Amino acid sequence: MNPQAVSGYICLLCFSFVSTAKGDLQPLSFQPGTLYQYHYSLEVQLDHVSTASPQGTRLRAEALVQLHQFWRDQGGEELLQVQIHNLKAQHEPGEERSPGSTGGPWAEIALSQEAQAELQQPVFISWSSGKVKAFYGNETESILISNLKRGVISLLQLQPHTSTTVEEDVSGSCQVTYTVSNHSTTKTKDLLSCTRPKTGFTSLFPKPGCSNNISSVTGIPPLPGLGEEAEIFGVKWQPTSKSQYVVKDSLLHSVLAEESHVVSPALRSTSGIKISSRQQLQLLSPPMPGPAEMDGQILEDVLAGTEGQHQPLGMASLPFRRVCTHCLSLRAYLKAFDSQRVKLDTSKAATMRQFLRFIQMLRSAKKRDVLQLLRRAPEEMLPFIVEAVVAAQSAASLAALSDFLDVRKEPKSLLEKFLYAAAFSPRPSGELLHLVLDKLDGKQLSPEVWETGIVAVGSLVGKLCQQKLCGLQEVKRGVETILGGLRGAKEESEVAIYLLALGNAALPETIPILLDHAEEGPIAVTSAAISALQRFPAQHISSEVKRAMRRIFHEKRKSYNKTCRLAAAEILLESQPLPMDVINILLATSELEAETARFLLLKVQSSLHADHHHPARKIKDILRDPRINNYNFFSKAGISSSFSGPLAVTQDLLSTFRLDLLFLEGGFLRKSISDFSLLSRSRRLHAAQVTIEAQGMESMLGENVLEGEEEPELSARMSTVFFDVQLRPIIFFQGYTDLMAKVLLSSGEPTSVVKGNLLLMDHHQVIPLQSGLQVAIKLQGGLGLDISADVAVSIWEQELKTSINTRGSLAIDFQAELDAPFLQATLRSQTEAETSIHFDTMLRFSNSPVLMCLQLREEQVPYREIFTVSKSSGSQNSTTRKGRQGTMPGRELALHQANSKVCNLLGTAGE
């Protein structure tokens, strides 16, 4: 043998050995003139997470896949023809299985002749050593069948060496990791990294503060460090994907691809759905003689010579939109409208079911039908329909609503209802903001409607920026409306409303404006500016903001109202507090009035006992210093209080309650804050925060205003933040004359804070399975709410009573729709609940010290869950339902031991 040949042979063996040791495979190829046949099998299963649900749905299919090299270019790239034959599908009947049983026989699914013909139409792929470079098929083909072929072709996508790369297949453009060992290759796909054309949407509560291209309007440079989109009212998705390849002698022998998905509402994982899918491709040996390789120099000419039209198509699956055949259309509803009047009670689950049903009808309705509904609806039903139209947010429904509001003679109440509904929209559009701005532009509106409109504009601007839509002309116009109005405002009340609107928008670029008004404005303006700053997440409370808050709290430049100083201290304590700030605030309490000092110290102590309170650990470290944590500091006398604690805890959610009560030295309530918050996966949402504040009471009680502090006008007002949207303040009285008139002419009826129906959860997501089948996830959740508040002062009894009553209903509709060329299945879970919560405060001034009793009561909570599994195959349809219902007992929360003793004392005295 030639010595050079022997040397070359040895080098080749060494190279092969080194490649194998590194874990690389030999280059893959399919030989010309050879027909490769693979057995293809598919299994898909969908089940409810809850054990109280009926059996889910299972589907399996098998087919023969034939593959051969159709053409090869001069660079070695192969054009492969892939064809599916004899596909047979089965599904498991819906009868319930007994524990331990294997179930009954599977039911055959009859495929139509058209489907069989389309399935057998070949497709072509440009392929090189395991990499699918292009896909060619018929673009007029059924989407579901075309996607199924994409699923088969994606199994041919692999790399012959260990690596991490980005690949495009039926799932989209995804990051994949290959691990090669001997003849086996494992591919792990990160499905959360996959990018594909956007096909869905989700809710945007709460907002973390956004910025995009808005500095062109404000003239202020943008600030870095924006938060991620929140998911409290969205969907939690946990996917996994792993494929195993076996390659021998440069030939693909088998593929086993498995994936799983667990999808659930973020607030209720027990309503979730599990999806599992398994594909297998197994080489049938031996390979057979196949068609000869086609001649040709150019790929386009080769494809032109094939039967049918084969155009280059994307590898990612195409979204399929199922047509609902049983859904009621608005036009059909209108035919029987007079006999289908809805009984409306926002606190009842039946009303919320109707609300979600209306939204579905309105989203597919035409403008003339929506307009007809608005014109024909009775007066008491119009607010309900307006809320549904805003929630549906289709172009047709918004256009109809705009026309309807323009022609009404007295649109005040409905216009205000529209503005409130727009402010709470979970995923607003530019068209909605445009409509709101048009209704405000140049119109002679009542102060209440104008204030509602301005805070609504702020909320819409913030949510659109969350969707990275700050560049829209409507958003720029909305920001200019707020900033221009702020510059031109003359009255303090007007300035305060614009500042609250900036708090709703939470644009970091506007922080310098808020700081300027916080430090330089009068009491009402300073209070509104600090309140707006409290709406920003911690990452935007910069050193500049903290310096300004220090100047306000420590009164470095001028004197400030005590409530403004306390709000500034709260920002310093809540937003990644510095040790020196905590120490200086605690030291400053020795110079404050007794009630103010006690309130501030109790806020610090309350935060230490809250596990969900992020700065608690830092404060605990500081309080280890005995010079700070001693009797001298924490023994202030008074009746002001601040405490917080959990209301309910589940595996998904922590619900907390916080109550702050600040009193004057004479025992009169200065300010109360009741806060109900939701915490989930490091996200915090102010579900409801009601603030009742009284000013100017010092002169009535004979107290002196502190030197340098402004004497505010006698007034009482209520401010509400509801689902992270600041509403316009409600004035109980302003001035002594107004107070006397309200006391003498009071009807005794509580003041309505919020009443209506809100769409909180609105999520649509398409999950493309590796097989090419599709699962559409849909979530809708609505809340009907009626919150009222009342303040009663009895001069004769020397008592002050406040009450906040909340009645509500919640409905969540979560479903997963599986779409295949031969089967459609839907798994659905519906949850409903009704609740009523009462928070009452009573103060008696005839005693010394003043007696105060707080009561937080929750009435019994009826609930219901329904699980449904529906299947449709050809002319065969089946539906299975299973549910449960019950009532959770009412309860009264024991806030703290001292409060319970006072309540018992007052209760005994009143008998």
Side-chain angles (χ1 to χ4, degrees):
M1 181 179 290
N2 189 325
Q4 292 182 345
V6 172
S7 176
Y9 181 70
I10 293 173
C11 290
L12 181 60
L13 285 176
C14 291
F15 175 78
S16 300
F17 175 77
V18 171
S19 297
T20 304
K22 288 181 178 179
D24 291 352
L25 297 176
Q26 297 178 5
L28 281 76
S29 65
F30 293 98
Q31 298 302 314
T34 303
L35 180 65
Y36 300 88
Q37 296 191 104
Y38 291 88
H39 176 263
Y40 172 75
S41 62
L42 162 68
E43 291 185 22
V44 178
Q45 182 171 347
L46 273 71
D47 286 296
H48 288 284
V49 170
S50 173
T51 56
S53 62
Q55 176 187 323
T57 184
R58 294 180 67 187
L59 166 71
R60 67 187 185 192
E62 58 180 15
L64 177 68
V65 175
Q66 292 184 340
L67 180 152
H68 71 273
Q69 188 184 111
F70 192 78
W71 175 77
R72 185 184 183 94
D73 69 3
Q74 295 180 351
E77 192 168 309
E78 304 172 32
L79 183 68
L80 304 181
Q81 176 179 300
V82 181
Q83 193 167 13
I84 299 174
H85 295 277
N86 303 325
L87 189 139
K88 297 178 181 179
Q90 298 174 315
H91 73 91
E92 191 174 30
E95 293 84 2
E96 287 293 309
R97 292 195 302 257
S98 59
S101 67
T102 57
W106 288 64
E108 296 286 340
I109 299 176
L111 274 68
S112 66
Q113 292 184 350
E114 292 81 3
Q116 287 280 16
E118 280 196 330
L119 279 167
Q120 293 187 23
Q121 291 296 319
V123 292
F124 297 88
I125 58 172
S126 180
W127 190 82
S128 177
S129 298
K131 184 175 179 60
V132 178
K133 295 190 172 182
F135 167 54
Y136 304 94
N138 188 348
E139 62 182 359
T140 63
E141 200 169 60
S142 161
I143 289 178
L144 293 176
I145 289 179
S146 180
N147 285 344
L148 185 67
K149 294 178 180 179
R150 285 180 169 90
V152 173
I153 289 169
S154 293
L155 295 177
L156 303 175
Q157 180 91 282
L158 75 155
Q159 298 289 335
H161 50 269
T162 298
S163 64
T164 297
T165 185
V166 175
E167 281 184 354
E168 185 173 357
D169 62 9
V170 66
S171 303
S173 184
C174 313
Q175 180 176 297
V176 295
T177 299
Y178 286 94
T179 304
V180 178
S181 175
N182 295 328
H183 301 297
S184 176
T185 299
T186 301
K187 176 166 73 172
T188 304
K189 186 191 302 184
D190 181 4
L191 291 172
L192 293 176
S193 72
C194 297
T195 58
R196 48 188 294 108
K198 186 176 180 181
T199 56
F201 48 80
T202 193
S203 306
L204 295 173
F205 290 111
K207 63 179 183 305
C210 298
S211 173
N212 193 352
N213 191 27
I214 210 67
S215 57
S216 60
V217 179
T218 63
I220 306 167
L223 300 179
L226 300 181
E228 297 177 357
E229 183 180 88
E231 298 175 353
I232 283 185
F233 290 140
V235 164
K236 181 172 62 174
W237 175 36
Q238 297 169 294
T240 63
S241 171
K242 185 169 288 188
S243 302
Q244 195 79 22
Y245 292 83
V246 176
V247 178
K248 297 178 181 179
D249 300 326
S250 299
L251 179 62
L252 179 64
H253 277 246
S254 67
V255 184
L256 175 61
E258 295 178 309
E259 65 179 318
S260 68
H261 307 259
V262 179
V263 193
S264 63
L267 286 184
R268 188 172 176 80
S269 59
T270 55
S271 296
I273 291 171
K274 297 181 293 186
I275 308 166
S276 58
S277 177
R278 188 174 190 269
Q279 285 177 280
Q280 193 164 10
L281 201 63
Q282 183 69 48
L283 179 65
L284 299 177
S285 57
M288 303 168 55
E293 186 178 292
M294 294 291 293
D295 294 328
Q297 299 294 322
I298 302 175
L299 175 63
E300 289 75 11
D301 294 341
V302 174
L303 289 173
T306 61
E307 293 185 15
Q309 300 292 323
H310 293 95
Q311 299 90 9
L313 304 175
M315 278 293 294
S317 67
L318 302 175
F320 173 79
R321 190 172 187 84
R322 184 190 295 189
V323 178
C324 183
T325 56
H326 62 274
C327 297
L328 181 66
S329 68
L330 181 58
R331 178 164 294 183
Y333 175 83
L334 286 170
K335 291 179 180 179
F337 179 65
D338 293 332
S339 62
Q340 293 186 8
R341 298 295 174 89
V342 179
K343 293 183 179 180
L344 301 175
D345 184 346
T346 54
S347 64
K348 298 299 181 183
T351 302
M352 186 46 55
R353 283 200 305 271
Q354 290 287 352
F355 183 66
L356 298 180
R357 180 186 178 205
F358 262 77
I359 293 172
Q360 293 299 328
M361 287 194 299
L362 290 165
R363 281 183 171 167
S364 59
K366 294 183 178 179
K367 176 183 175 180
R368 64 173 181 267
D369 294 330
V370 180
L371 199 54
Q372 185 181 358
L373 174 65
L374 289 164
R375 289 169 176 168
R376 289 176 56 185
E379 199 71 23
E380 66 273 11
M381 194 176 173
L382 273 175
F384 175 87
I385 296 176
V386 168
E387 290 167 341
V389 168
V390 175
Q393 209 174 153
S394 67
S397 63
L398 291 179
L401 180 59
S402 178
D403 292 350
F404 179 72
L405 292 175
D406 285 341
V407 299
R408 278 186 65 84
K409 296 179 181 179
E410 296 180 2
K412 174 185 172 182
S413 60
L414 268 189
L415 181 56
E416 189 171 14
K417 176 66 70 173
F418 158 68
L419 294 171
Y420 270 130
F424 289 116
S425 174
R427 49 175 195 89
S429 63
E431 290 79 9
L432 180 59
L433 177 56
H434 180 84
L435 180 55
V436 169
L437 291 169
D438 281 353
K439 298 308 172 191
L440 297 177
D441 191 18
K443 305 291 194 307
Q444 293 296 322
L445 302 173
S446 65
E448 296 84 0
V449 174
W450 173 80
E451 290 175 359
T452 302
I454 294 300
V455 296
V457 169
S459 175
L460 291 170
V461 165
K463 291 176 183 177
L464 285 167
C465 284
Q466 275 186 266
Q467 300 176 68
K468 300 182 180 179
L469 297 175
C470 274
L472 291 178
Q473 289 300 318
E474 292 86 355
V475 175
K476 295 179 180 180
R477 181 184 165 196
V479 174
E480 183 54 40
T481 296
I482 298 173
L483 295 181
L486 180 61
R487 288 191 293 267
K490 304 299 182 183
E491 300 292 331
E492 288 183 20
S493 58
E494 291 184 20
V495 175
I497 288 296
Y498 285 117
L499 294 175
L500 294 178
L502 289 180
N504 276 342
L507 299 176
E509 304 92 306
T510 63
I511 287 178
I513 297 174
L514 294 172
L515 292 178
D516 181 63
H517 284 82
E519 289 198 80
E520 305 300 333
I523 293 176
V525 172
T526 297
S527 177
I530 296 177
S531 177
L533 287 167
Q534 288 178 308
R535 309 289 306 287
F536 285 80
Q539 66 262 33
H540 296 312
I541 305 302
S542 62
S543 57
E544 181 184 359
V545 176
K546 291 184 177 182
R547 283 195 295 270
M549 295 303 104
R550 292 186 196 110
R551 289 193 292 268
I552 292 173
F553 176 74
H554 296 289
E555 298 183 309
K556 294 295 186 182
R557 293 181 177 176
K558 69 172 188 175
S559 297
Y560 293 93
N561 182 274
K562 67 183 71 175
T563 56
C564 297
R565 295 181 65 192
L566 290 174
E570 189 169 341
I571 290 179
L572 292 172
L573 292 172
E574 292 283 339
S575 306
Q576 300 172 356
L578 298 174
M580 191 52 63
D581 281 331
V582 178
I583 293 171
N584 287 337
I585 288 172
L586 292 174
L587 291 174
T589 58
S590 61
E591 301 175 3
L592 298 175
E593 294 177 315
E595 290 292 345
T596 307
R598 174 179 170 82
F599 175 81
L600 189 53
L601 291 169
L602 286 174
K603 282 197 71 68
V604 173
Q605 287 182 314
S606 176
S607 67
L608 298 179
H609 303 293
D611 293 334
H612 60 275
H613 192 272
H614 297 298
R617 182 173 297 178
K618 291 184 178 180
I619 297 177
K620 285 180 181 178
D621 292 339
I622 294 169
L623 292 184
R624 288 194 176 97
D625 187 345
R627 293 172 297 178
I628 300 296
N629 189 9
N630 57 56
Y631 183 80
N632 182 49
F633 274 102
F634 288 96
S635 62
K636 305 293 183 183
I639 58 173
S640 296
S641 64
S642 175
F643 62 89
S644 62
L647 284 177
V649 181
T650 69
Q651 65 186 56
D652 306 299
L653 179 71
L654 170 64
S655 174
T656 66
F657 171 71
R658 177 172 66 90
L659 176 65
D660 293 340
L661 295 171
L662 174 64
F663 288 88
L664 298 174
E665 299 303 311
F668 204 88
L669 182 64
R670 176 66 175 84
K671 185 176 184 179
S672 74
I673 301 176
S674 307
D675 183 288
F676 296 86
S677 293
L678 304 177
L679 294 95
S680 178
R681 296 170 188 84
S682 74
R683 303 289 187 184
R684 182 188 184 98
L685 171 67
H686 286 292
Q689 185 183 83
V690 179
T691 303
I692 299 176
E693 187 171 5
Q695 291 183 344
M697 295 293 181
E698 291 87 347
S699 57
M700 288 187 63
L701 298 174
E703 295 184 18
N704 295 322
V705 179
L706 295 178
E707 183 179 351
E709 185 177 314
E710 300 178 49
E711 182 174 1
E713 182 184 16
L714 179 66
S715 64
R717 66 182 61 207
M718 178 171 58
S719 176
T720 308
V721 177
F722 187 55
F723 286 104
D724 269 350
V725 177
Q726 170 76 62
L727 307 183
R728 69 172 183 85
I730 296 174
I731 308 297
F732 289 122
F733 62 83
Q734 186 132 15
Y736 185 78
T737 304
D738 190 25
L739 170 61
M740 290 295 100
K742 295 287 175 60
V743 170
L744 296 174
L745 302 177
S746 173
S747 64
E749 293 295 322
T751 301
S752 177
V753 180
V754 174
K755 185 176 182 179
N757 303 281
L758 306 175
L759 181 65
L760 295 181
M761 307 175 192
D762 197 16
H763 182 93
H764 183 276
Q765 175 184 0
V766 174
I767 298 178
L769 303 183
Q770 292 180 161
S771 59
L773 307 189
Q774 171 184 291
V775 177
I777 303 297
K778 298 179 180 179
L779 169 66
Q780 276 198 321
L783 181 69
L785 206 66
D786 185 354
I787 299 180
S788 61
D790 191 25
V791 177
V793 181
S794 174
I795 299 175
W796 313 115
E797 299 291 337
Q798 297 187 32
E799 287 182 349
L800 168 68
K801 294 181 179 179
T802 67
S803 62
I804 302 172
N805 299 314
T806 302
R807 298 166 60 239
S809 62
L810 175 69
I812 300 175
D813 189 344
F814 181 69
Q815 55 185 310
E817 298 176 347
L818 172 67
D819 291 302
F822 28 78
L823 177 74
Q824 288 187 331
T826 302
L827 272 66
R828 185 180 189 184
S829 68
Q830 296 166 281
T831 305
E832 298 173 353
E834 298 173 3
T835 186
S836 184
I837 300 174
H838 308 278
F839 176 62
D840 302 314
T841 305
M842 178 179 177
L843 287 92
R844 182 166 294 172
F845 303 101
S846 58
N847 300 74
S848 181
V850 173
L851 298 180
M852 176 182 63
C853 169
L854 310 173
Q855 290 181 306
L856 181 61
R857 296 175 290 112
E858 182 181 26
E859 295 182 9
Q860 63 182 16
V861 179
Y863 67 90
R864 182 173 70 159
E865 284 184 295
I866 301 175
F867 300 95
T868 308
V869 177
S870 303
K871 302 175 188 177
S872 175
S873 174
S875 59
Q876 297 181 348
N877 300 286
S878 67
T879 300
T880 307
R881 288 187 180 88
K882 197 173 180 180
R884 59 186 176 187
Q885 60 183 8
T887 301
M888 292 186 289
R891 56 176 179 158
E892 181 170 348
L893 280 78
L895 300 177
H896 54 77
Q897 188 174 4
N899 179 71
S900 300
K901 291 180 180 179
V902 175
C903 290
N904 290 333
L905 179 63
L906 290 176
T908 304
E911 293 178 354

PDB file of all heavy atoms in Angstrom, residues 396 429 442 670 838:
ATOM      1  N   ALA A 396     -65.743  49.044  15.666  1.00  0.00           N
ATOM      2  CA  ALA A 396     -67.167  49.278  15.395  1.00  0.00           C
ATOM      3  C   ALA A 396     -67.903  49.716  16.656  1.00  0.00           C
ATOM      4  O   ALA A 396     -68.718  50.651  16.624  1.00  0.00           O
ATOM      5  CB  ALA A 396     -67.800  48.015  14.819  1.00  0.00           C
ATOM      6  N   SER A 429     -56.588  50.807  23.615  1.00  0.00           N
ATOM      7  CA  SER A 429     -56.046  51.063  22.275  1.00  0.00           C
ATOM      8  C   SER A 429     -55.907  52.562  22.062  1.00  0.00           C
ATOM      9  O   SER A 429     -56.468  53.376  22.803  1.00  0.00           O
ATOM     10  CB  SER A 429     -56.987  50.479  21.212  1.00  0.00           C
ATOM     11  OG  SER A 429     -58.252  51.118  21.269  1.00  0.00           O
ATOM     12  N   GLY A 442     -62.589  70.967  24.002  1.00  0.00           N
ATOM     13  CA  GLY A 442     -63.459  72.087  23.681  1.00  0.00           C
ATOM     14  C   GLY A 442     -64.885  71.960  24.156  1.00  0.00           C
ATOM     15  O   GLY A 442     -65.752  72.735  23.734  1.00  0.00           O
ATOM     16  N   ARG A 670     -57.913  63.098  61.584  1.00  0.00           N
ATOM     17  CA  ARG A 670     -57.318  63.958  60.542  1.00  0.00           C
ATOM     18  C   ARG A 670     -57.274  63.256  59.199  1.00  0.00           C
ATOM     19  O   ARG A 670     -57.584  63.831  58.172  1.00  0.00           O
ATOM     20  CB  ARG A 670     -55.897  64.356  60.977  1.00  0.00           C
ATOM     21  CG  ARG A 670     -55.100  65.167  59.957  1.00  0.00           C
ATOM     22  CD  ARG A 670     -55.713  66.532  59.735  1.00  0.00           C
ATOM     23  NE  ARG A 670     -54.882  67.338  58.866  1.00  0.00           N
ATOM     24  CZ  ARG A 670     -54.911  67.277  57.528  1.00  0.00           C
ATOM     25  NH1 ARG A 670     -55.717  66.429  56.924  1.00  0.00           N
ATOM     26  NH2 ARG A 670     -54.144  68.078  56.812  1.00  0.00           N
ATOM     27  N   HIS A 838     -67.401  44.964  54.976  1.00  0.00           N
ATOM     28  CA  HIS A 838     -67.772  46.212  55.646  1.00  0.00           C
ATOM     29  C   HIS A 838     -66.645  46.630  56.588  1.00  0.00           C
ATOM     30  O   HIS A 838     -66.179  45.830  57.407  1.00  0.00           O
ATOM     31  CB  HIS A 838     -69.059  46.025  56.453  1.00  0.00           C
ATOM     32  CG  HIS A 838     -70.184  45.432  55.670  1.00  0.00           C
ATOM     33  ND1 HIS A 838     -70.990  46.172  54.840  1.00  0.00           N
ATOM     34  CD2 HIS A 838     -70.626  44.150  55.578  1.00  0.00           C
ATOM     35  CE1 HIS A 838     -71.885  45.380  54.271  1.00  0.00           C
ATOM     36  NE2 HIS A 838     -71.683  44.149  54.704  1.00  0.00           N
TER      37      HIS A 838
END
